Amino acid sequence: MPEQANSSRFPSLSYESNRTRTLLRNRLTRFLPFDRHAGARPHVQVTLADEDYLRLLTDMEIEIAGTVERARDTYEAGADPAGPFPKLDDLVSARWIRIVRNRIFTPVEFSRASKPALSEGGASAYAALKQNQYKRTYSFPSGLAHNSALSATIREIKNGQLTLQEIGCQRPEWVAARLWETLYSKLSDDQVTLSQWLDRCKALGYPRLVPSAAWDDSVAERFRI
């Protein structure tokens, strides 16, 4: 739906405070020095053998609340059904929501604007999107949960006593490389493979990899696509 049409139906969506600053920040950030390790990881509480951590990351399921499909359900369930309200697609067209690899992200400046610009129900639904966009739910197959090397770790994750980022291993680069190979062999869709790999590499702290050194040519080439 064209942005102009959205604005005529829901004129409050045209509120774009700090729009110029945001555009400049997004376009110029790439030229600034960046330390990819600047954000400290949580303190490691449990250290697993590399092979065990690889199996944990490979076999577990991760449900992402911030996918477009789940975000649409969350938003429309929370919006006021009695009156007109912007659909999720309207918010995307008006740049209140950004989509990257089928995940939604709510820019900070629009989060502040949501209360005066949207109805009470719409603002509440938009706030729910913002709150849940990074929420993750983990599940583990029974064979993995009963594995002697992993059962205690999985139990602590389920109980909320441990996060994936608090699990360490000896060679995160090796785990990340083998994880890509495993997903590469199981999945046919390159975008799904990349998304699942990135979801799991977050637990590893996104280790630095050189594709030509980590894999043979065919695997490295698919990684670069």
Side-chain angles (χ1 to χ4, degrees):
M1 183 182 298
E3 184 175 347
Q4 185 176 1
N6 292 332
S7 297
S8 62
R9 289 182 59 207
F10 302 103
S12 59
L13 292 185
S14 62
Y15 180 96
E16 295 194 48
S17 176
N18 299 324
R19 177 70 180 151
T20 300
R21 184 171 61 185
T22 300
L23 284 172
L24 288 173
R25 184 193 306 121
N26 291 342
R27 295 189 179 188
L28 298 178
T29 295
R30 72 188 71 176
F31 301 111
L32 298 175
F34 173 65
D35 181 2
R36 69 194 303 273
H37 299 290
R41 295 186 64 204
H43 180 68
V44 171
Q45 303 290 336
V46 173
T47 300
L48 297 176
D50 295 338
E51 293 79 3
D52 292 330
Y53 202 8
L54 174 62
R55 183 178 179 188
L56 176 69
L57 293 175
T58 300
D59 292 350
M60 68 185 296
E61 295 291 333
I62 305 177
E63 181 178 296
I64 309 292
T67 63
V68 172
E69 297 77 15
R70 292 192 178 95
R72 192 185 308 278
D73 292 341
T74 298
Y75 176 73
E76 294 185 356
D80 182 4
F85 64 92
K87 301 295 187 183
L88 190 73
D89 292 339
D90 296 327
L91 297 179
V92 172
S93 296
R95 300 188 181 90
W96 281 57
I97 291 176
R98 294 174 186 162
I99 298 177
V100 179
R101 289 195 304 273
N102 202 45
R103 307 288 169 80
I104 64 116
F105 299 93
T106 57
V108 174
E109 62 269 24
F110 292 116
S111 297
R112 299 193 187 105
S114 62
K115 277 196 173 182
L118 297 173
S119 67
E120 182 177 350
S124 175
Y126 188 76
L129 283 184
K130 181 176 182 296
Q131 180 179 357
N132 292 314
Q133 61 185 322
Y134 301 115
K135 182 180 178 182
R136 296 167 178 236
T137 304
Y138 306 114
S139 59
F140 308 89
S142 58
L144 193 66
H146 291 95
N147 181 282
S148 59
L150 296 172
S151 58
T153 298
I154 291 174
R155 185 165 56 251
E156 290 187 10
I157 294 173
K158 287 182 173 181
N159 293 337
Q161 299 170 310
L162 185 71
T163 67
L164 287 179
Q165 288 77 13
E166 292 172 329
I167 302 174
C169 61
Q170 295 299 316
R171 298 172 295 166
E173 295 83 2
W174 181 90
V175 174
R178 303 295 79 76
L179 180 61
W180 173 263
E181 292 171 353
T182 303
L183 296 174
Y184 167 91
S185 65
K186 290 170 53 177
L187 304 170
S188 58
D189 187 297
D190 289 340
Q191 290 303 312
V192 172
T193 303
L194 179 61
S195 291
Q196 291 200 15
W197 185 74
L198 288 173
D199 289 339
R200 288 154 175 78
C201 276
K202 180 179 180 180
L204 297 167
Y206 299 114
R208 192 184 302 273
L209 289 176
V210 179
S212 60
W215 305 295
D216 61 33
D217 291 344
S218 62
V219 178
E221 183 61 27
R222 183 170 169 187
F223 180 80
R224 295 189 185 99
I225 293 177

